[in-house]
Amino acid sequence: MTATTRDITQDTTPAPQVWPTLRARDARALIRFLVDAFGFEETAVYGEGDRVAHAELAWPLGGGIMLGLVRDSGDDAWELRPGTFGAYVVTDDPDGLFARATAAGATVVREPADTDYGSRDFVVRDPEGNHWSFGTYRGEPRR
């Protein structure tokens, strides 16, 4: 087997998926918050000291997010302002997750409630100001 060939019987790489990305003023603190408050799993963090060049956090039900420290240089090809991110994340236990998130300091935007489309969900903000909506709605069946 060559270095460019993967043994698919040993491959633990996730299937292709969408990875939303965000930037943070304090990436290490945001990573800790997202792990502690929401239950993301820290998969990879690259950088030294306070600088996080790239981090991956997996969501237990599938998918995940990527993030890094905001760069104030004028040559940033991936220019995103901290606090401008928003995501909807599927959870099987919105009430339990709401309790965990608020106990960890998430700012409540909307408390858990049942929706007219069959979901139970809530919305909170993280310390950087990003909006996180968690709910039971898994989307419509694919055609």
Side-chain angles (χ1 to χ4, degrees):
M1 181 175 357
T2 67
T4 59
T5 307
R6 293 188 305 176
D7 178 357
I8 60 173
T9 62
Q10 301 295 319
D11 188 5
T12 59
T13 305
Q17 51 200 297
V18 176
W19 284 82
T21 61
L22 61 146
R23 292 282 178 90
R25 290 176 195 88
D26 187 341
R28 292 204 187 271
L30 183 58
I31 291 166
R32 286 282 43 91
F33 178 83
L34 297 174
V35 168
D36 295 344
F38 300 152
F40 278 94
E41 298 166 354
E42 188 177 307
T43 305
V45 178
Y46 301 102
E48 296 181 18
D50 291 338
R51 187 177 170 277
V52 174
H54 172 79
E56 295 177 18
L57 304 180
W59 183 243
L61 296 180
I65 61 168
M66 295 183 185
L67 65 102
L69 187 66
V70 68
R71 295 175 180 101
D72 292 323
S73 64
D75 62 347
D76 186 3
W78 196 257
E79 189 176 344
L80 296 172
R81 290 186 334 267
T84 61
F85 176 80
Y88 175 81
V89 184
V90 175
T91 180
D92 291 330
D93 183 15
D95 294 293
L97 184 54
F98 179 78
R100 175 181 179 162
T102 54
T107 302
V108 176
V109 175
R110 191 180 73 235
E111 295 200 10
D114 296 325
T115 69
D116 58 357
Y117 51 89
S119 182
R120 179 153 181 87
D121 55 36
F122 68 91
V123 180
V124 294
R125 282 195 318 266
D126 66 32
E128 295 268 344
N130 299 299
H131 283 77
W132 296 88
S133 177
F134 292 90
T136 58
Y137 180 71
R138 293 177 179 267
E140 294 300 316
R142 294 184 182 193
R143 298 176 189 190

